[in-house]
Amino acid sequence: MPSPSSQHRPEHVVALINPTSAKGAGAEAGRRAVAALRAAGIEVTDIVGRDAYDGEQRASDALLKNHEAALVVVGGDGMVSAGLRLLTDHPETVLGIIPAGTGNDTARSLGIPLKDPEAAARVIAAGEVGRIDLGEATVGAGTSAEVVRRFSTVMACGLDSKVNDRANQMRWPRGKRRYDLSMLLELPRFKAPRFGIRLDDRELTDECMLIAVGNGPSYGGGMLICPEARMDDGRFQLTEVRKISKPTLLTIFPKVFKGRHVNHPKVDVHHAAEIELHAEGVSCWADGERIGALPVTLRTLPAALRVFRPAG
């Protein structure tokens, strides 16, 4: 069931804009969204940093000066990650999202309009607020363990991390076709790692092509890798694709766009609130950003984020 919502129409927002999102579309989306918010009678402090660090620092300073302000991020899932970092110190601040990136999977999962900055701004102005879960990733083991990321969508590793490494170095094509091409380029030399997996109190060992842990259902611009994942149920969906031939993987891959890959006998689905993953030489990604090398411990943070979302 969706988490209960409340009304919180903001009087002031701090808008952090990524002008380079989607090859410059972020700047235009930010301009349009800020204009729409101001037209709705909301005061806006708009921030475009010299770089990502500068933008986050300036947004943090602005939030410290106005504890009642909401935070609005303009960009893709990477900007949502920036928002999550900022809100670690402001847990009751409400997050608004103006989608203007390549993937936009957090916004997609929340039902926020993806290609209409004014419509996304109207969601914020309407003031409908819900709470969603977050995932927390702790990379490393023992005394070297360090919490490095909170994430809203999917953490992935195995072939996924190889594909992400390559896709994020590519300038063409745009959108999800970049991931398609990256998959075709990485697959010929890929070897399935052996994973140790702990699901709450249950342990597994499998050779897997990929493992995805979903707080939300999609990544990569609408690929439904964890179609049963919900952002408000207090648990993850883990999807594992066990070792299969590469031609078989290519027949399964197109089904991910509608979530039908989970029907294949070599694809297993599990649900857990806490997950550990171990494998040699494997990195993991969350919300489209590299977070480090395994081992990683993942736990659900129930109802950790207040977010503007469409009514109903």
Side-chain angles (χ1 to χ4, degrees):
M1 293 291 292
S3 59
S5 61
S6 61
Q7 286 295 124
H8 181 83
R9 188 181 191 279
E11 296 182 2
H12 184 189
V13 305
V14 174
L16 178 58
I17 300 167
N18 181 359
T20 63
S21 286
K23 296 191 175 182
E28 175 64 11
R31 183 192 65 77
R32 291 168 58 185
V34 166
L37 289 168
R38 287 175 173 155
I42 297 171
E43 183 180 353
V44 181
T45 300
D46 53 316
I47 294 171
V48 181
R50 293 186 300 271
D51 52 35
Y53 178 79
D54 177 63
E56 289 185 38
Q57 286 296 112
R58 290 170 58 191
S60 180
D61 291 343
L63 290 171
L64 286 171
K65 291 177 182 176
N66 190 331
H67 295 285
E68 299 300 317
L71 174 65
V72 173
V73 293
V74 183
D77 290 312
M79 283 301 285
V80 175
S81 289
L84 299 184
R85 288 192 292 272
L86 285 165
L87 296 186
T88 300
D89 296 324
H90 307 273
E92 289 304 305
T93 297
V94 186
L95 180 68
I97 303 170
I98 307 294
T102 301
N104 301 317
D105 287 287
T106 306
R108 178 179 285 103
S109 296
L110 292 169
I112 296 169
L114 299 181
K115 298 182 180 181
D116 187 338
E118 288 85 1
R122 287 194 292 272
V123 170
I124 296 165
E128 186 84 8
V129 175
R131 285 188 178 270
I132 64 170
D133 305 337
L134 295 175
E136 182 179 77
T138 304
V139 174
T143 58
S144 66
E146 179 184 4
V147 176
V148 295
R149 182 77 79 241
R150 290 182 171 187
F151 63 96
S152 56
T153 58
V154 175
M155 191 233 68
C157 55
L159 179 59
D160 273 356
S161 52
K162 296 289 187 182
V163 169
N164 266 304
D165 282 335
R166 181 178 285 270
N168 279 269
Q169 296 171 8
M170 295 166 64
R171 296 184 178 181
W172 181 92
R174 295 174 63 179
K176 62 187 179 183
R177 296 203 177 277
R178 180 183 301 173
Y179 294 89
D180 296 351
L181 179 57
S182 182
M183 167 78 82
L184 294 174
L185 293 172
E186 286 294 330
L187 188 58
R189 57 185 178 181
F190 179 76
K191 294 183 179 180
R194 178 171 291 277
F195 285 88
I197 306 166
R198 181 177 67 81
L199 302 158
D200 292 332
D201 296 324
R202 189 158 54 101
E203 296 189 1
L204 307 170
T205 301
D206 276 320
E207 287 183 299
C208 298
M209 306 299 282
L210 64 89
I211 290 178
V213 179
N215 180 58
S218 71
Y219 67 172
M223 299 164 66
L224 291 169
I225 187 68
C226 296
E228 299 172 11
R230 299 292 178 266
M231 287 183 160
D232 55 9
D233 65 354
R235 61 180 187 165
F236 298 115
Q237 177 186 333
L238 181 145
T239 301
E240 61 168 323
V241 180
R242 286 180 280 130
K243 185 177 180 181
I244 52 177
S245 70
K246 292 169 183 177
T248 300
L249 182 63
L250 288 175
T251 65
I252 296 173
F253 178 67
K255 299 178 181 179
V256 75
F257 294 101
K258 293 188 177 180
R260 294 176 181 170
H261 59 294
V262 297
N263 297 322
H264 193 277
K266 287 288 188 177
V267 178
D268 293 333
V269 170
H270 309 279
H271 297 275
E274 185 169 307
I275 295 170
E276 287 184 16
L277 299 174
H278 297 258
E280 292 292 328
V282 176
S283 64
C284 55
W285 286 65
D287 290 347
E289 296 185 346
R290 190 182 190 278
I291 62 171
L294 270 56
V296 63
T297 300
L298 305 160
R299 67 186 184 103
T300 308
L301 304 177
L305 180 68
R306 300 177 72 207
V307 62
F308 292 108
R309 66 184 189 189

